Amino acid sequence: MNILRFAGLTLAIALAGCTAFLADKHASAVVYDPMTVGDVTLSPFYALNGVLSREPGELLRQEKLGERQSLKNAAVNLRLLYTSTNGLTDEGTVPVSGVLYLPRGEAPEGGWPLMAWTHGTVGVADICAPSWNGRQQQDEDYLNRFLESGYAVVASDYQGLGTAGTHPYLATRPAAYSNLDIIKAIQSASLPVSNQVVLFGQSQGAAAAIATAAFAPDYAPGIDLAGVVATGAPYFTPRAIEALERTQQPDKVDPMLGYTFLAMTLVQQVDPQFVMRDHISDAAWPVARRVEDACYKDIKTMVTEAGLTRRLSFAQNPAAALRQGFAQMAYPTMKIAAPVFMGTGGKDRDTPPRMQALLVRDLCAAGTKVQWARYPELDHRQVVPGSIKDSFPFVEAAFAGETVSGNCGE
């Protein structure tokens, strides 16, 4: 278990955090707790003792980020800890971590226009939290572009990433609450940011951005949401799931098995009868168990190096159980009050263009103003920088209060 490289965590702490996954599937000596998968103590900043009695959306503490987590175009790089509603249970308050980046120069009257970045898949282990682990170079470049143009950027790690509890991977309500509460926390903390906010995210983060806008009217009606930018957005409807299952090649090495392993950790949190280990083969378990202490990009590499196929990876077909997880990934409504920019790469294999087209169709049918841009030659990751020529003007128009009519009728 080579995780000593992560900021000097001791091997003893790492092993303690991995208890949930170290047991053999036939052993009974170890108590398995799906609610603590991936938990370790990163630093005292992330840890709180006792039960939170504060209201959601309150800033608990802040500190300067290290060089690894900072952005070069930010004058201020802060790590934040704040309160949020437990989105998995919809009751109780939990601590959630995140960051705030402020641009260089003097803030305009009313504060820096605020962008809320909702990050894509990193994993469920605490060590993967962007406020601790930093961001991939592409995301750094993307966020630096907005900072350079005078936008402040706030970004939640999401519930359970960095803080206590297993991150409810891709579940829309926890992500939405985490995003809305970090916005409330910084807007009420005398920081130089605007009252208006635009959400922008990729992949898991695109789903989180759309869900955040959908939950906002009921959960945080005081937030002035000007727009949403979503690239590579997933959409888990029964029809979309059936289409994905039809296109799977069970005997081909599938680097995206990592997504399935992560989704199975969510099923464990919502269904006490589901045990991930019971469904995964002995051949795949050495890789699948690493969701406990490794981040998604490393798991993806492990899957390829181990030559894992879907047929080889499962002792029992998890499809029926996974539908319980997919139910947690649904959007509460297709009617979004703010305009939405959707960017789709024609070569996206992670969230196929047909899946995204269904999402656009249903958003439009519900009356949401959608500006949909398609990029035939771009894949899942390339669409982030590739769409900025269209998404950036969209953001400017949203903050300016200009009417965004969208292109639903085309």
Side-chain angles (χ1 to χ4, degrees):
M1 182 183 300
N2 184 23
I3 62 172
L4 291 177
R5 66 184 183 277
F6 291 103
L9 289 177
T10 67
L11 183 58
I13 290 176
L15 286 171
C18 292
T19 300
F21 272 117
L22 289 180
D24 181 85
K25 67 177 179 180
H26 300 299
S28 58
V30 177
V31 177
Y32 181 84
D33 185 358
M35 308 306 286
T36 62
V37 171
D39 271 356
V40 293
T41 301
L42 297 176
S43 76
F45 181 89
Y46 293 86
L48 281 180
N49 295 320
V51 179
L52 278 176
S53 58
R54 299 192 184 186
E55 293 296 313
E58 291 189 23
L59 190 60
L60 295 171
R61 57 179 71 140
Q62 58 183 286
E63 67 178 10
K64 289 184 179 179
L65 289 168
E67 182 179 355
R68 178 179 181 176
Q69 306 93 8
S70 297
L71 295 181
K72 65 179 183 180
N73 287 342
V76 174
N77 293 269
L78 292 176
R79 178 181 289 121
L80 309 175
L81 193 72
Y82 63 98
T83 57
S84 186
T85 301
N86 184 333
L88 195 60
T89 62
D90 204 18
E91 58 183 13
T93 307
V94 294
V96 180
S97 54
V99 299
L100 175 66
Y101 306 110
L102 297 180
R104 302 183 185 280
E106 185 176 347
E109 185 177 352
W112 299 108
L114 180 61
M115 302 286 294
W117 170 244
T118 53
H119 69 77
T121 297
V122 295
V124 298
D126 284 340
I127 56 172
C128 308
S131 72
W132 176 263
N133 195 38
R135 303 176 193 278
Q136 63 177 346
Q137 189 61 52
Q138 176 175 286
D139 288 352
E140 285 194 17
D141 294 342
Y142 187 61
L143 299 185
N144 273 316
R145 174 76 177 271
F146 283 91
L147 285 162
E148 185 179 31
S149 298
Y151 294 95
V153 177
V154 66
S156 174
D157 287 331
Y158 307 146
Q159 177 180 331
L161 266 175
T163 50
T166 300
H167 168 52
Y169 175 65
L170 271 176
T172 52
R173 185 171 65 190
Y177 287 1
S178 295
N179 292 328
L180 292 166
D181 282 324
I182 197 172
I183 293 168
K184 288 193 291 185
I186 65 164
Q187 287 182 335
S188 60
S190 300
L191 291 162
V193 296
S194 66
N195 290 327
Q196 273 193 321
V197 61
V198 168
L199 301 159
F200 66 142
Q202 156 69 4
S203 193
Q204 178 188 2
I210 294 168
T212 300
F215 277 101
D218 291 329
Y219 183 75
I223 290 180
D224 185 358
L225 183 58
V228 179
V229 173
T231 53
Y235 188 35
F236 296 102
T237 65
R239 180 179 173 185
I241 294 166
E242 289 171 6
L244 285 175
E245 291 174 348
R246 285 197 303 270
T247 59
Q248 288 175 356
Q249 301 179 53
D251 295 310
K252 183 177 180 181
V253 174
D254 188 352
M256 287 183 283
L257 274 166
Y259 288 133
T260 304
F261 298 151
L262 293 174
M264 293 172 83
T265 68
L266 175 61
V267 178
Q268 290 183 139
Q269 295 175 71
V270 299
D271 180 3
Q273 304 303 314
F274 179 81
V275 179
M276 180 174 172
R277 178 65 181 102
D278 292 344
H279 289 74
I280 295 180
S281 69
D282 292 341
W285 183 242
V287 174
R289 69 194 293 181
R290 295 301 303 275
V291 297
E292 173 74 24
D293 67 354
C295 300
Y296 172 72
K297 65 181 180 64
D298 298 316
I299 295 170
K300 185 176 181 179
T301 299
M302 294 177 207
V303 167
T304 302
E305 291 178 346
L308 294 182
T309 66
R310 291 194 172 270
R311 193 185 306 279
L312 188 64
S313 296
F314 299 109
Q316 298 181 48
N317 190 337
L322 281 170
R323 289 175 185 271
Q324 298 178 78
F326 294 143
Q328 301 294 318
M329 302 172 191
Y331 304 110
T333 179
M334 290 286 106
K335 176 61 175 175
I336 310 296
V340 176
F341 173 89
M342 286 272 296
T344 299
K347 295 184 178 179
D348 191 333
R349 293 184 61 244
D350 300 60
T351 52
R354 181 175 295 183
M355 172 187 277
Q356 296 183 53
L358 287 173
L359 176 55
V360 171
R361 182 201 66 181
D362 289 352
L363 287 169
C364 287
T368 300
K369 292 181 179 179
V370 181
Q371 181 178 325
W372 188 26
R374 284 143 289 184
Y375 308 92
E377 299 304 315
L378 303 184
D379 64 20
H380 189 63
R381 293 186 67 243
Q382 293 166 344
V383 74
V384 181
S387 63
I388 201 167
K389 61 185 177 65
D390 299 311
S391 62
F392 203 88
F394 173 90
V395 169
E396 291 179 315
F399 275 117
E402 298 175 8
T403 300
V404 178
S405 57
N407 55 4
C408 281
E410 296 180 9

